[in-house]
Every structure is written in structure tokens, then in C-alpha cells.
Amino acid sequence: AQSVTQPDAHVTVSEEASLQLKCKYSTPGAPSLFWYVQYPQQGLQLLLKYYSGDPVVQGLNDFEAEFNKSDSSFHLRKASVHWSDSAVYFCALSLQCLSL
């Protein structure tokens, strides 16, 4: 079985403060990990994704996330947030498939 947990249901930060949104995952295989954002009255938008390689992934609007295999985490970060970052953020995972 695979699962993703975002322990913080609601996060409030001040303008220009740093932000971290936590994401923990559980999977038996190699994960592909994603962060999506949904701004008010808009659809889901892919913010960033991790497949392999460099564990720090740069995304849209100065967001980044770090894949930490030992901690089973993929936390989203931004150094300085703005009111326009107000949105719902979703962490997601998929198992990597290999076709033979």
C-alpha cells in the first residue's frame, strides 16, 4: 500500500515569512512525488515534481521541495511568501513503473 500524509491541515504565515508545508509518504517502491496548488476559483496546477536525481527540486513561483528518502518526506518550502500564495496545496505520489 502507498499513502501520503500532510499533517498540517491549515498553515498561517505572515507576509514575507518563510513557509514549510510537510508531506510524509509511505510506499513499498520508488516514488514519484508531486506538489500541486489550487488557487481560489481555479483548477489544480502542478507546482513541482520529483522522479530521481537531485533531491532538491525547484518549482514555480520560487517554491522548492526536498526528497528525503531516509525520512520518507517531501516537504515544500518557500523563503518568502506573499498574499498571492494563499491557496490549497496538495502532495501526491505515484509508483514508478518500468515496462519490460
Side-chain angles (χ1 to χ4, degrees):
Q2 58 192 43
S3 66
V4 169
T5 304
Q6 291 177 244
D8 303 317
H10 187 87
V11 176
T12 303
V13 293
S14 301
E15 181 91 3
E16 298 183 1
S18 63
L19 169 70
Q20 177 174 264
L21 298 178
K22 295 179 180 178
C23 175
K24 300 278 283 185
Y25 68 88
S26 175
T27 179
S32 297
L33 293 155
F34 309 86
W35 274 100
Y36 291 89
V37 60
Q38 186 171 27
Y39 295 104
Q41 285 81 53
Q42 295 186 28
L44 283 178
Q45 180 180 348
L46 179 63
L47 200 55
L48 50 79
K49 60 192 175 202
Y50 171 83
Y51 294 122
S52 63
D54 189 340
V56 178
V57 181
Q58 304 298 322
L60 301 176
N61 303 326
D62 298 319
F63 280 95
E64 68 174 28
E66 183 171 6
F67 171 69
N68 188 327
K69 184 176 182 179
S70 62
D71 191 34
S72 297
S73 67
F74 190 57
H75 302 328
L76 184 69
R77 300 187 300 243
K78 187 170 184 179
S80 179
V81 297
H82 305 285
W83 66 268
S84 58
D85 293 315
S86 297
V88 180
Y89 293 83
F90 299 92
C91 183
L93 106 88
S94 173
L95 287 182
Q96 295 180 11
C97 297
L98 184 63
S99 297
L100 300 176

